Amino acid sequence: MLNILVLHGPNLNLLGQREPGVYGNATLEDINRLLETEAQALQVKVSALQSNHEGVLVDAIHAARDQHSGLLINAGAYTHTSVAIRDAIAGVNIPTVEVHLSNIYRREPFRHHSYIAAIAVGQISGFGPNSYRLGLQALVHHLRENNPSG
Ligand code: DQA
């Protein structure tokens, strides 16, 4: 069974309380539950981790090399700053889909650049919690296209 790692970056533990006008009312737990339901429908396994620390996210990406066939990541603000996370994803060469709750291109100019986008299979941005659901669907579709037995 395909095993997907879901990584949530900094401040996403505050979802539900954090700038609800931008990020909505769903909590991280709600999003993980939604992903669990979608994973069952797609017949894949997901494991989710949230960290506010860049190095923890880098370590989790390295560890995924042996255990996971795909990565779904909302790197939060590290999207716009972290060459380390970009290099970790490129280094392990695991197919990756980047997601964002908000539409980063409708926001401040500093959010318009993503270090991850250029090495990801694709990016989904602006659909709230549904960005994660759509991202998981797209990632699983991509993995199955490339390995039909998955
Ligand atoms: C975010 C967008 C980022 O710019 C921001 O720093 C976040 C959340 C999103 O999901 O919309 O923390 O990744």
Side-chain angles (χ1 to χ4, degrees), residues 1-2 43 143-150:
M1 191 183 266
L2 287 174
Q43 298 194 311
L143 292 169
R144 287 191 171 141
E145 243 173 15
N146 289 288
N147 177 11
S149 64

Coordinates of all heavy atoms in Angstrom, one line a residue, residues 1-2 43 143-150:
M1 N 0.8 -1.2 0.0 CA 0.0 0.0 0.0 C 0.9 1.3 0.0 O 1.9 1.3 0.7 CB -0.9 0.0 1.3 CG -2.0 1.0 1.2 SD -2.9 1.0 2.8 CE -4.3 0.0 2.4
L2 N 0.5 2.2 -0.8 CA 1.3 3.5 -0.8 C 1.3 4.1 0.6 O 0.2 4.2 1.2 CB 0.7 4.5 -1.9 CG 1.0 4.1 -3.3 CD1 0.2 5.1 -4.2 CD2 2.4 4.2 -3.7
Q43 N -7.3 4.3 -0.5 CA -6.6 3.0 -0.2 C -5.1 3.2 -0.1 O -4.3 2.5 -0.7 CB -7.0 1.9 -1.1 CG -8.5 1.6 -1.0 CD -8.9 0.3 -1.6 OE1 -8.5 0.0 -2.7 NE2 -9.6 -0.5 -0.9
L143 N 1.6 9.0 -8.4 CA 2.4 7.8 -8.0 C 1.9 6.6 -8.7 O 2.7 5.8 -9.2 CB 2.4 7.6 -6.5 CG 3.1 8.7 -5.6 CD1 2.8 8.5 -4.2 CD2 4.6 8.6 -5.9
R144 N 0.5 6.5 -8.9 CA 0.0 5.3 -9.5 C 0.2 5.3 -11.0 O 0.4 4.3 -11.6 CB -1.5 5.2 -9.2 CG -1.7 4.8 -7.7 CD -3.1 4.4 -7.4 NE -3.1 3.8 -6.1 CZ -4.1 4.0 -5.2 NH1 -5.1 4.8 -5.4 NH2 -4.0 3.5 -4.0
E145 N 0.2 6.5 -11.6 CA 0.6 6.6 -13.0 C 2.0 6.1 -13.3 O 2.2 5.5 -14.3 CB 0.5 8.1 -13.4 CG -0.6 8.4 -14.4 CD -0.6 9.9 -14.7 OE1 0.3 10.6 -14.3 OE2 -1.6 10.3 -15.2
N146 N 2.9 6.3 -12.3 CA 4.3 6.0 -12.5 C 4.6 4.6 -12.0 O 5.6 4.0 -12.3 CB 5.2 7.0 -11.9 CG 5.2 8.3 -12.6 OD1 5.7 8.4 -13.7 ND2 4.5 9.3 -12.1
N147 N 3.7 4.0 -11.2 CA 3.9 2.7 -10.6 C 2.5 2.1 -10.4 O 2.0 2.1 -9.3 CB 4.7 2.7 -9.4 CG 4.9 1.3 -8.8 OD1 4.5 0.3 -9.4 ND2 5.3 1.3 -7.5
P148 N 1.9 1.5 -11.4 CA 0.5 1.1 -11.4 C 0.2 0.0 -10.3 O -1.0 -0.1 -9.9 CB 0.2 0.5 -12.8 CG 1.3 1.0 -13.6 CD 2.5 1.3 -12.8
S149 N 1.2 -0.6 -9.7 CA 0.9 -1.6 -8.7 C 0.8 -1.0 -7.3 O 0.4 -1.6 -6.3 CB 2.1 -2.6 -8.6 OG 3.3 -2.0 -8.2
G150 N 1.0 0.3 -7.2 CA 1.0 1.0 -5.9 C -0.4 1.2 -5.3 O -1.4 1.2 -6.0

